Amino acid sequence: MSDAPATELIEGHRPIAAPPGVAEWDVDPYDPEILKNPEPFYRELRAKGPFVYLSRYAMLACGRYEETHEVFSDHERFVSSRGVGLQDFSLEEPWRPPSKLLEADPPAHDTVRRVIVRSMAPNVVASIRDMFKQAADGLIRELVGKRSFDGVHDLARVFPTTVFPEAVGMRENDPDRLVDYGSMVFNAIGPDNEARRSAMAKGPDVVPWITAACERQHLENTGIGGIIYAAADAGEITEHEAGMLVRSLFSAGVDTTISGIASALYCLTANPDAFAELKASPNLARRCFEETLRMFAPVHSFCRTANLDTEVAGVPIEEGSKILCMLGSANLDEEYWPNASTFDINRRPVGHLAFGMGIHNCPGQNVARAEAEAVLMAIAEKVDTLAFDGEPEWGVNNSVRYLKKLPLTLNQVMHT
């Protein structure tokens, strides 16, 4: 831990000067209005160059695809172990023990990565697909009876907070606390603003609950959590590390999946032709979800920290520089994605950054895909048309792009 006094830090990281030739920008990416509607900010960010210097945070940001991909995927030059938010863990203690998965680099990252990947391997996902399908079919039938519903609270939130804890083997599920815990983790990545303070205020209630709920005695042996604890029995990881890994499943795999499913509903409702194509070919559900993730990346931004003096796109970057990687912007870069602002259900958006890149790509992405595909295929099979029943409302989170409200109506319901 560095002896640098806290007064020299900005939001927990060492301030840097603007590199030569890099535009300075007095904008706050965490402004609530930007978080709710970031596309204009993304366009200006990309127009200013490969990097900009965020003067109020004395750090860099990138939003074009090529540079964002390079910084985000090069774990040797740009590390995660110093924190994926504004805080530099080499200078300040984080609010919780760093994630062995998200906030670690090789070699410490390698063992836990192998365990978590094994726990959600293709054969594991295949074993829970039927459970996902039955749950999705039942939920859509229920919503068909309502006709009008909130796509977030009645569908996108209900489904992951029901099926994912069951897949993990959680015996004491509490959907509200699961969502609150994810909100804490993702808001903590940002600055000390109202979004962070509001989320963190729930910590005294949420943290003891999630810690206990992820302990071995509160999990079924047959679920994903059981596979992780089996690795502790085999001596690959410690019992404590197993508990941390199970908690990481819920910190990373609930709020983001809610966001992805809700955004997919939004895209299909806003693009009736795409919904018609999905109904004609329900096997387009996977491609529909990937295109949704490209357009509305659930995690809009993560940081990396330069671990040595280096350069990207001719821009010199000094050791210790925090870099805000705007994944949501990179996924909308017109120079990389033709007609980037158009939702195209037939697009194959290979290489989008919504699931990360490199050794830190999301190990649970196939579980998230399976959840979303189950929901989208059930809708395609059981619903004729979707329509807005009010104005959608986007929420504020320092790292997650999410819909707060999505009033919808099911029209011309099929009797299936």
Side-chain angles (χ1 to χ4, degrees), residues 80-99:
S80 299
S81 54
R82 293 170 69 167
V84 297
L86 300 187
Q87 187 182 32
D88 186 338
F89 292 175
S90 72
L91 304 177
E92 273 193 351
E93 292 283 354
W95 68 276
R96 59 172 174 77
S99 166

Side-chain angles (χ1 to χ4, degrees), residues 134-210:
Q134 290 175 17
D137 287 347
L139 180 56
I140 299 306
R141 286 193 190 97
E142 179 183 331
L143 295 176
V144 162
K146 288 185 176 181
R147 299 294 294 268
S148 294
F149 65 100
D150 188 310
V152 177
H153 293 277
D154 298 329
L155 201 170
R157 177 168 166 151
V158 169
F159 189 75
T161 58
T162 301
V163 301
F164 189 57
E166 182 176 345
V168 173
M170 178 179 273
R171 290 175 177 165
E172 301 176 13
N173 184 14
D174 186 328
D176 290 339
R177 280 173 163 157
L178 285 178
V179 172
D180 287 343
Y181 181 61
S183 178
M184 285 179 59
V185 170
F186 284 107
N187 275 300
I189 290 171
D192 184 24
N193 55 12
E194 176 57 31
R196 188 183 196 277
R197 290 190 293 270
S198 177
M200 298 300 286
K202 298 180 180 180
D205 171 64
V206 173
V207 173
W209 175 82
I210 191 72

Side-chain angles (χ1 to χ4, degrees), residues 77-150:
R77 290 188 295 157
F78 305 103
V79 299
S80 299
S81 54
R82 293 170 69 167
V84 297
L86 300 187
Q87 187 182 32
D88 186 338
F89 292 175
S90 72
L91 304 177
E92 273 193 351
E93 292 283 354
W95 68 276
R96 59 172 174 77
S99 166
K100 295 286 186 178
L101 192 66
L102 183 64
E103 297 157 334
D105 295 300
H109 173 266
D110 296 341
T111 300
V112 295
R113 174 80 184 188
R114 283 194 295 270
V115 171
I116 207 79
V117 167
R118 184 192 313 143
S119 75
M120 292 183 285
N123 64 309
V124 177
V125 176
S127 71
I128 55 181
R129 280 187 181 276
D130 284 345
M131 183 266 284
F132 287 174
K133 183 180 188 310
Q134 290 175 17
D137 287 347
L139 180 56
I140 299 306
R141 286 193 190 97
E142 179 183 331
L143 295 176
V144 162
K146 288 185 176 181
R147 299 294 294 268
S148 294
F149 65 100
D150 188 310

Side-chain angles (χ1 to χ4, degrees), residues 271 291 294-295 332 337-345 347:
N271 298 274
E291 175 71 344
R294 183 194 67 81
M295 289 199 68
L332 293 172
W337 308 99
N339 302 313
S341 60
T342 300
F343 178 76
D344 183 358
I345 197 172
R347 191 197 303 264

Side-chain angles (χ1 to χ4, degrees), residues 34 110 117 151 179 222 226 241 293 304 350-351 387 391:
I34 289 178
D110 296 341
V117 167
V179 172
T222 55
E241 287 173 329
L293 296 176
R304 293 288 187 260
V350 177
E391 193 69 25

